[in-house]
Amino acid sequence: MIRLFISYKWQEQSYAFAVREWLVRERDWSPDEIFIDKSPGTGLRTGEQYEKRLLAEAEAAEATLFLASELSLDPKSFCYREVRNSKGLIIAMTLGDVAPSDDRLRHLIGAAAAARHIDALDKGDRESIVFRSPIDGSQQSELINTQKLADMADVLREQGIAPNAFVWTPSVIRPTPYPGLEPLLEGDEALFCGRDIEIRDARKRFEAFAGSVTEHTLIIQAPSGAGKSSFLRAGLWRRLRSDPSYTPLCIIRTPLGAITNRKWGLITGLTDEKLGLATSRDGVRRRVDEDFTALLQEIKSRDEGAPGRKRTLLLGIDQGEEITQLTDDAPEFEQFIAMIVAARESGVDIRLVLTARDDSLDATRERLEALGLHQDGIESFRLDRMPRAQFVKVIRGPAQAAEQAHWPLTIPEDVEAALADAAGSDAAEVGDALPILALALQRLIANRRITATGEIDLTPREAVAFIRGAVEETVQEALSDVGATDDELRRLVIPQLATWDADAGAEGAAKRLVAHEAALFAGEREALRELADALVDLHLLTRSASDAGLIYEVAHEALLRAEPLGSLIYAQREQFDDARSLKREASAWRASDKDEAHLGRRGSQLEAAEALLRDADFGPDLHAHESAVSAYVQACAAKQRHDEEREQRLIQRGFVQPVRAALQEGDAHKALRTMAAAAALSRDAQFDLEAATDEP
């Protein structure tokens, strides 16, 4: 992909050639990454449609460098059309009599131009840059302000557009270049590959987001398995920190405490040293509780930069679809949204950025709207599944980052191609190609890398089986390590770590849950701890600390669709749905101060609830649930018994006794009429019996 498109009038082409030469020589750019229409390799070919190719390249490039002169600023100039067609970052450098403050530049580039430094390329201290003309091969030179050129190159590096803008350094958190099913984080930009075009388009979308006066929430929507978490964290967040329009705060999640969770809550996120608060976690918590709006204003003012510059605060919510599943954690999330709404009403420009699965997008939007975020201000950015053609970059990019870090790793090109083809062929349709490839690459490093040389001991033919068996073989390895069975795996995961969302999409979908250690290993479940540890060691489960103890989570939802878990979860989808309904009903009953009107279970529905409470998988969770499911079901059963007993009394008094009396009197017709009336009332108006018989 072309990183930089240089737009210029042919009369100033020597400046374009000199800039290209300087970037290649001084900043390690590859000539193939810079498009100049007369450059060998990237330029126009004989017979090619001139306008179509130029506009296509301008649109596709990650950035456009516009050499602004009186000629190129003419609205009839083709340069003008190139800039208008560009979708990436646009940087202008002036030539001749055009001043950096020229209003025509802001008109052409748009509102974003006001937030960028526009410098003169041919003014001030200049140096002669010698280059070879791509037209005739002659040696030429041009006087350029290299300091301004260096400033421009630094902007491209800060924005992640320049080659080697990001580097990977082996660490305890990221010891290898392939993290498997864990999402990539801010700081992992060098390992996040294959999404250049999407990053470019998202940056353009964020330019519009910053300039909008109505939008307050942007949802990055994607199918499960598209890598939306990594896209936000490693693809965008650090780049947005370099954007003069934004001050990114932190990225949170909502289960087990949107504000207080020690791993991913708001308080933890605001202690990031990048925000400069220079206070402890307890100090941040105190300020969040006392005056969240004032805290945001302090962060914003500290990051204003140039006087009068407007900064938009960004707060991310990863896996936003989780807000539709919240039960006991809902009050803390509601408090979090109330704090955001209050800050906005006080004049703080703070926006939310969420990631959410396609199949939960509508429910996510409705949940946000119900909490006071107006639907008209919620927009979305679509992230599709990664094209299969990009899988090679997912493999090669981290390997190149490893090479730059002097971490030995060599994957032959034919093995790269075989791995990419195998992943795309087998899993692309269900959307798990990318996570399965990520897991396979992690196993590749762990099991098939010759440490001393870094070579990968795998043939192209073996690559197909390696991808196909990635999930199941890893699970079986964990089971084998501790002598566990598939039944124990099911008991560990269902229903503590997985659920079935019947409302997700047309057919429903399996989704992850987060579980506290105390609940996951309560009672007889303590015997499952060793299996959980084995799954953590193989990166199929994640384990992290929180204020309430350790928390566990399945590493990726792709594992819930693959064997052996996929079929086990699907088979119990009705129990999942009924358990969720029970929790919701019990919560409503408790919230109503145990009003009998909320005791709606009877008959077959009550029997199903009682069976679920006895179920070996779901029963312990329902009995322990804070919404008092067990007490709710017992109350429903008691109410049913009371109603049945009352009905029997009503029938006895209103009909059985009169029938007996009529028979004793020898009036068979009267007895039959009374029996028929009882049958009709019992069928059509059972609850009117009390009034009909004066039963108190």
Side-chain angles (χ1 to χ4, degrees), residues 117-311:
H117 296 291
I118 301 174
D119 296 314
L121 187 61
D122 60 347
K123 300 291 190 297
D125 295 333
R126 295 176 292 169
E127 297 179 22
S128 177
I129 297 179
V130 178
F131 60 88
R132 189 172 296 279
S133 171
I135 299 174
D136 57 15
S138 62
Q139 183 169 297
Q140 300 179 21
S141 66
E142 188 59 80
L143 290 173
I144 297 282
N145 187 324
T146 54
Q147 181 55 56
K148 300 301 184 183
L149 194 55
D151 292 342
M152 181 273 296
D154 288 343
V155 170
L156 293 175
R157 177 175 290 277
E158 290 169 2
Q159 298 294 318
I161 295 171
N164 305 328
F166 304 114
V167 296
W168 169 67
T169 303
S171 65
V172 174
I173 296 176
R174 195 69 75 223
T176 76
Y178 297 112
L181 295 173
E182 296 179 17
L184 293 168
L185 307 174
E186 184 179 1
D188 290 330
E189 290 78 12
L191 307 180
F192 183 71
C193 304
R195 289 291 195 182
D196 296 335
I197 292 176
E198 291 85 350
I199 289 174
R200 178 207 65 188
D201 292 346
R203 291 169 62 92
K204 201 74 172 179
R205 182 65 185 84
F206 271 93
E207 283 189 5
F209 190 44
S212 173
V213 296
T214 58
E215 295 178 14
H216 53 68
T217 302
L218 182 65
I219 300 178
I220 299 173
Q221 66 170 106
S224 180
K228 56 188 178 297
S229 294
S230 295
F231 183 74
L232 175 62
R233 294 175 180 274
L236 293 178
W237 209 246
R238 184 169 165 184
R239 290 174 169 88
L240 290 170
R241 287 194 192 280
S242 301
D243 190 316
S245 299
Y246 286 111
T247 299
L249 300 177
C250 58
I251 300 173
I252 72 165
R253 286 178 59 191
T254 57
L256 305 183
I259 299 172
T260 59
N261 186 282
R262 186 169 289 275
K263 181 180 180 182
W264 55 59
L266 175 67
I267 294 167
T268 297
L270 292 180
T271 59
D272 191 324
E273 61 183 15
K274 298 183 186 71
L275 300 179
L277 291 177
T279 186
S280 65
R281 188 176 191 276
D282 288 341
V284 171
R285 180 170 191 164
R286 188 163 49 252
R287 298 198 61 186
V288 167
D289 292 340
E290 291 174 354
D291 196 337
F292 181 61
T293 298
L295 179 61
L296 293 180
Q297 289 171 333
E298 178 184 329
I299 295 172
K300 185 175 183 292
S301 62
R302 178 174 291 143
D303 201 30
E304 287 287 358
R309 177 178 295 173
K310 181 181 179 182
R311 303 283 298 208

Side-chain angles (χ1 to χ4, degrees), residues 16 27 132 152 158 163 169 189 317 449 479 506 575 617:
R27 293 301 177 93
R132 189 172 296 279
M152 181 273 296
E158 290 169 2
T169 303
E189 290 78 12
I317 303 178
R449 173 171 164 263
L479 295 175
Q575 288 95 322
D617 291 332

Side-chain angles (χ1 to χ4, degrees), residues 605-633:
Q605 287 187 329
L606 178 58
E607 292 173 2
E610 291 172 332
L612 205 58
L613 282 169
R614 295 190 300 269
D615 186 271
D617 291 332
F618 291 87
D621 177 57
L622 292 173
H623 279 292
H625 198 263
E626 293 182 11
S627 60
V629 171
S630 180
Y632 166 71
V633 173

Side-chain angles (χ1 to χ4, degrees), residues 343-550:
R344 289 186 56 80
E345 290 175 349
S346 297
V348 177
D349 185 12
I350 181 169
R351 321 272 179 106
L352 295 177
V353 182
L354 291 82
T355 65
R357 286 173 43 155
D358 278 344
D359 56 22
S360 300
L361 179 64
D362 290 342
T364 302
R365 292 173 64 98
E366 289 169 4
R367 185 82 175 96
L368 293 172
E369 184 180 24
L371 294 176
L373 296 174
H374 298 298
Q375 186 78 279
D376 291 343
I378 304 174
E379 299 295 336
S380 62
F381 173 83
R382 170 75 182 178
L383 181 69
D384 291 317
R385 291 193 177 113
M386 182 176 288
R388 290 167 56 182
Q390 297 295 90
F391 287 174
V392 169
K393 291 186 177 181
V394 174
I395 302 169
R396 183 176 300 164
Q400 291 173 339
E403 181 182 355
Q404 293 165 8
H406 305 292
W407 196 87
L409 177 61
T410 302
I411 305 178
E413 289 187 9
D414 56 353
V415 175
E416 282 182 352
L419 288 168
D421 288 343
S425 298
D426 285 356
E429 290 188 5
V430 295
D432 291 333
L434 196 56
I436 288 176
L437 176 60
L439 176 63
L441 290 172
Q442 186 181 57
R443 288 177 59 79
L444 193 74
I445 295 298
N447 302 334
R448 305 300 293 268
R449 173 171 164 263
I450 303 173
T451 306
T453 63
E455 290 184 57
I456 294 298
D457 181 22
L458 190 76
T459 67
R461 180 175 295 181
E462 292 172 326
V464 176
F466 195 83
I467 291 291
R468 288 178 177 172
V471 174
E472 194 160 7
E473 288 178 9
T474 310
V475 172
Q476 292 305 320
E477 182 180 340
L479 295 175
S480 177
D481 285 346
V482 296
T485 64
D486 283 354
D487 184 63
E488 289 171 300
L489 176 68
R490 186 202 78 242
R491 289 173 51 215
L492 174 65
V493 174
I494 297 174
Q496 298 280 1
L497 295 172
T499 188
W500 181 267
D501 185 356
D503 298 325
E507 301 178 356
K511 292 186 177 180
R512 294 182 294 175
L513 295 176
V514 181
H516 277 301
E517 175 186 33
L520 191 59
F521 304 120
E524 295 180 355
R525 293 179 62 87
E526 175 64 32
L528 301 172
R529 186 185 294 272
E530 191 177 11
L531 173 57
D533 291 341
L535 293 169
V536 169
D537 290 342
L538 290 173
H539 311 287
L540 298 179
L541 288 185
T542 65
R543 177 176 57 207
S544 54
S546 75
D547 287 340
L550 295 177

